[in-house]
Amino acid sequence: MTSSPAPEPQPNSGAQPGDVSSSGPALAVRSQGLDKIFSNGFQALSKVDLSVSKGEVVVIMGPSGSGKSTLIRTFNGLETIQAGHLEVLGHHLDADNNPKVVSKIRHHVGMVFQQFNLFPHLSILENVTLAPIWVQKRDRQKVKEDALALLDHVGIREQAHKYPSQLSGGQQQRVAIARALALSPQLMLFDEPTSALDPEKVKEVLETIRALAAEGMTMVVVTHEVGFAREVADRVVFMDEGMIVEQASPKTFFTDPKEERSQLFLSRIL
Amino acid sequence: MADTPRPGPRPAQLLRRLRRGLFASHLDTLITVVLAVVCGSGLWSLLHWTFLQADWAVVQDNIRLYFNGNFPVSQIWRSWSWLGLLGVLCILTLMPSRLLPPAMVRLLPLFWVLILPIGLLLLAAGLGFEPVKSRFWGGLQLSLLLTLGTILMALPLGILMALARRSSLPLLRWLTTGYIELMRGMPLIAVLFFGQLMIPLFLPEGWTFSRVLRAVLSLGFFMAAYMAEDVRGGLQSIPKTQLEAARSLGLSPLLTIALVELPQALRTALPALANQCVASLQNTSLLAYLGLIELLGISRSILANPNYLGRHLEVYLWLALVYWAVCILMTSLARRVEHSLNVTGHH
């Protein structure tokens, strides 16, 4: 990992989407020596170095408890880090976990969770418009039009006035994707987006993510979907016990894994 | 439930159902007969007393006192018009919302907050009316004023304390926890006495609070502790993942509380909060023992009149009826609010 001087985080990169990408570095995420230790003493990440270029689709795989979810949760500050350095879209975060930096990062990073985490008291449309209205303070009418366009994009415009509990899991997850996209993020994090879905609903969600990848969105996806990783990923990262064991192109990883642990993992899931 | 056609003509069906429900076995029949005799004889003597023995003059002659207290007769329209406004507001709230213009439905909560200052303006002074001292307020009108004042004070205070109780600042957390435990550990009547005697000691030189205001402050501080616990329960029921979703969308802690946590917490806490509101009405009757002539107080002073010697039973039965009617009204209002927040049937 080269340690070229990274550009200073821009002082006023709060509200306008796109201002970092125009002048920022070519890397979307760079982590160096990242350590995550939970309050009960469990070390979930140790010395993780990972870089994600702009426009790249990185799939993280690994057995449960290997730290893959924890890793991408550090990327938008949902988990604090105890050592190391993190650079996300030109914003630098250290073990002090400066809340101001975290807040700036979150304005440009979208996240999709395993359990969708839609707000049950808000309609589908309100779920999508909440952050643009209150965080970006954009015009309500414009936000509403954009949100409907996004919902159309993920194929659930007809359900805009229903509530999350009235939708299927697959539909809810697509709303969650639209909600994250409403802030025009430059980086999307997916934390096992299809693990909580019925098998027949997995496809529609993966299609939505695939379409997003085709549009050039930078994405880090934690998933067990081998088919998806093979087709969509530019790079597969294999983690175990809080460390990155192997990184390779999907073709190499699935046909000719180098490390013993990767081979063992693949022999179990393939 | 949909009407499903059942076999047999209606009376026969009813008879069958009665037999199955009440006389299915010998034991069932015995229980039915004993209960019927006990309830029937009780009801018979109540009706007998109500219509043949009771003298309802003590109620009929004093309707004005029960409703308006000692409000000056020349100004009594002010008292009635406030009660009337309150009644209209209840009807508007209970009406199916599709019969009302949407703007009106949105403004209803605001009206419920405004009805208190409007009441104070109408009853006390202002608008160029002749001022009426609060010691002339009484009866149901005062009970409702005290209840409304208590709720409007205790609810926001309770929400703030529930939030403070899980604050990351230890001092704030300890203080609110201590306050809530203290208030819940004291009987209300003691709090009310403390309030009447001690609030004046804390006031700056030259300030005086009327007895009514002191009563509302004591009731409000007391109820706030209970409401805080109800809201805390609601807050605890929200999964942590909701907060993570809010945070990952960039919502600040304050926005997360206002837009994600409180709306969900209050929905969950609503039945418990409604319960506290009904309790607030019942609690106002304790103020009869502190010299306020609210519904119970005015009744006691009516009973003290030699003309109505020994008419306790009539008065207390009448009181029970009035309190019960207001409680029914409050619970149906609460159910209405619950329903309007839950139209989608989630949770």
Side-chain angles (χ1 to χ4, degrees):
Chain A
M1 190 76 40
T2 55
S3 57
S4 59
E8 285 300 305
Q10 281 145 40
N12 215 353
S13 58
Q16 279 81 32
D19 57 353
V20 181
S21 68
S22 53
S23 58
L27 283 181
V29 182
R30 184 172 59 179
S31 78
Q32 289 169 303
L34 216 58
D35 273 359
K36 167 72 200 180
I37 301 159
F38 283 109
S39 50
N40 62 7
F42 177 71
Q43 180 143 16
L45 298 175
S46 42
K47 304 265 171 295
V48 173
D49 297 329
L50 179 71
S51 300
V52 179
S53 309
K54 289 245 165 90
E56 195 181 14
V57 177
V58 172
V59 164
I60 304 183
M61 302 189 98
S64 57
S66 58
K68 10 181 235 310
S69 290
T70 310
L71 178 61
I72 69 165
R73 284 160 61 87
T74 62
F75 291 173
N76 72 344
L78 282 185
E79 301 289 354
T80 57
I81 54 177
Q82 274 63 54
H85 184 86
L86 190 63
E87 181 187 340
V88 181
L89 299 168
H91 301 293
H92 295 258
L93 196 62
D94 287 309
D96 66 347
N97 297 294
N98 185 339
K100 280 189 184 141
V101 178
V102 169
S103 148
K104 278 180 188 168
I105 289 174
R106 282 178 185 157
H107 287 184
H108 302 288
V109 179
M111 184 155 196
V112 175
F113 300 87
Q114 182 177 351
Q115 298 289 348
F116 332 132
N117 299 0
L118 295 180
F119 302 127
H121 62 296
L122 299 178
S123 73
I124 298 307
L125 184 62
E126 288 164 338
N127 261 282
V128 180
T129 57
L130 186 77
I133 289 175
W134 291 95
V135 177
Q136 296 182 329
K137 302 201 167 47
R138 289 169 54 205
D139 173 62
R140 271 165 197 265
Q141 199 51 44
K142 185 78 179 59
V143 166
K144 204 174 148 186
E145 286 163 19
D146 291 353
L148 285 171
L150 268 173
L151 287 173
D152 199 28
H153 199 64
V154 297
I156 23 185
R157 190 186 176 127
E158 291 70 34
Q159 329 275 351
H161 295 287
K162 289 190 178 172
Y163 283 79
S165 59
Q166 296 169 299
L167 265 56
S168 74
Q171 289 173 323
Q172 290 194 46
Q173 193 60 300
R174 284 185 282 152
V175 174
I177 295 173
R179 178 175 72 173
L181 289 175
L183 288 165
S184 322
Q186 293 155 39
L187 168 66
M188 284 286 285
L189 307 172
F190 291 87
D191 188 2
E192 304 203 24
T194 58
S195 299
L197 296 176
D198 293 336
E200 78 270 20
K201 306 285 183 197
V202 169
K203 200 170 157 232
E204 60 184 59
V205 171
L206 289 183
E207 277 310 317
T208 309
I209 303 176
R210 198 188 310 252
L212 203 54
E215 288 161 24
M217 173 66 76
T218 314
M219 306 199 298
V220 182
V221 186
V222 172
T223 185
H224 297 294
E225 296 292 331
V226 175
F228 173 82
R230 234 194 275 259
E231 285 170 51
V232 183
D234 297 311
R235 178 157 46 112
V236 176
V237 172
F238 177 72
M239 287 184 73
D240 195 12
E241 293 178 347
M243 283 175 284
I244 292 180
V245 177
E246 182 169 355
Q247 304 190 42
S249 73
K251 201 169 170 234
T252 322
F253 181 74
F254 289 115
T255 53
D256 183 23
K258 303 258 168 330
E259 301 289 330
E260 200 183 323
R261 275 190 282 181
S262 321
Q263 290 162 3
L264 186 68
F265 176 73
L266 287 173
S267 73
R268 282 198 193 124
I269 65 165
L270 283 178
Chain B
M1 226 178 6
D3 278 351
T4 46
R6 290 203 193 86
R10 274 188 169 256
Q13 204 188 101
L14 188 70
L15 220 77
R16 214 169 35 233
R17 213 191 286 172
L18 272 181
R19 194 176 303 158
R20 208 175 33 225
L22 299 174
F23 304 102
S25 68
H26 291 302
L27 184 64
D28 279 13
T29 311
L30 184 71
I31 292 173
T32 303
V33 169
V34 169
L35 282 181
V37 168
V38 170
C39 294
S41 66
L43 192 67
W44 171 254
S45 27
L46 182 69
L47 289 175
H48 187 262
W49 177 84
T50 305
F51 291 107
L52 298 176
Q53 289 173 309
D55 179 3
W56 293 104
V58 64
V59 174
Q60 282 161 2
D61 299 350
N62 296 308
I63 284 291
R64 186 176 56 77
L65 287 176
Y66 290 114
F67 280 91
N68 316 98
N70 287 327
F71 213 75
V73 180
S74 64
Q75 302 290 323
I76 199 123
W77 64 271
R78 283 155 56 179
S79 175
W80 281 119
S81 46
W82 186 65
L83 286 173
L85 273 179
L86 208 53
V88 170
L89 198 50
C90 286
I91 292 171
L92 284 180
T93 312
L94 289 174
M95 256 163 55
S97 48
R98 66 194 144 77
L99 296 182
L100 295 172
M104 174 87 97
V105 176
R106 269 199 301 278
L107 285 176
L108 274 176
L110 181 67
F111 290 154
W112 274 106
V113 174
L114 285 180
I115 194 82
L116 182 70
I118 289 173
L120 291 176
L121 272 182
L122 263 174
L123 297 180
L127 310 173
F129 297 141
E130 187 185 312
V132 176
K133 286 255 168 58
S134 67
R135 66 166 176 275
F136 294 112
W137 304 353
L140 181 65
Q141 160 216 280
L142 180 60
S143 292
L144 294 179
L145 199 67
L146 288 166
T147 311
L148 261 174
T150 306
I151 295 171
L152 288 180
M153 172 181 164
L155 192 58
L157 199 61
I159 292 173
L160 284 180
M161 287 201 294
L163 292 171
R165 201 169 168 178
R166 37 145 248 192
S167 152
S168 53
L169 304 170
L171 189 65
L172 194 59
R173 204 167 55 229
W174 294 334
L175 279 177
T176 36
T177 310
Y179 175 84
I180 290 170
E181 294 304 335
L182 185 74
M183 271 299 173
R184 292 202 303 171
M186 276 203 282
L188 175 56
I189 189 82
V191 175
L192 291 175
F193 273 111
F194 273 134
Q196 294 296 334
L197 299 173
M198 284 174 62
I199 288 177
L201 301 181
F202 290 106
L203 290 178
E205 195 77 26
W207 284 46
T208 47
F209 278 2
S210 75
R211 207 180 275 235
V212 173
L213 184 55
R214 277 179 282 166
V216 168
L217 287 176
S218 326
L219 280 169
F221 280 126
F222 182 80
M223 292 311 287
Y226 285 83
M227 290 193 173
E229 285 300 279
D230 293 338
V231 175
R232 189 170 71 100
L235 284 170
Q236 276 177 346
S237 73
I238 301 172
K240 222 182 94 205
T241 49
Q242 286 285 306
L243 307 187
E244 289 181 349
R247 260 187 261 151
S248 74
L249 286 170
L251 292 178
S252 65
L254 207 61
L255 281 178
T256 306
I257 288 173
L259 300 172
V260 176
E261 289 188 87
L262 272 186
Q264 294 188 57
L266 291 180
R267 268 176 178 77
T268 312
L270 197 61
L273 290 175
N275 201 18
Q276 303 292 2
C277 291
V278 174
S280 298
L281 170 73
Q282 318 288 23
N283 286 345
T284 59
S285 61
L286 282 178
L287 290 162
Y289 297 92
L290 285 110
L292 260 72
I293 46 164
E294 45 64 71
L295 198 44
L296 182 64
I298 199 87
S299 309
R300 280 157 47 95
S301 63
I302 290 170
L303 282 171
N305 182 337
N307 287 339
Y308 303 115
L309 209 60
R311 292 284 161 226
H312 290 81
L313 209 46
E314 285 86 345
V315 168
Y316 285 121
L317 203 65
W318 160 246
L319 273 191
L321 198 69
V322 175
Y323 275 115
W324 177 77
V326 179
C327 281
I328 289 291
L329 191 63
M330 287 175 83
T331 42
S332 34
L333 286 171
R335 208 169 304 138
R336 184 89 190 87
V337 176
E338 227 169 292
H339 182 74
S340 69
L341 288 178
N342 243 339
V343 276
T344 57
H346 56 255
H347 287 318

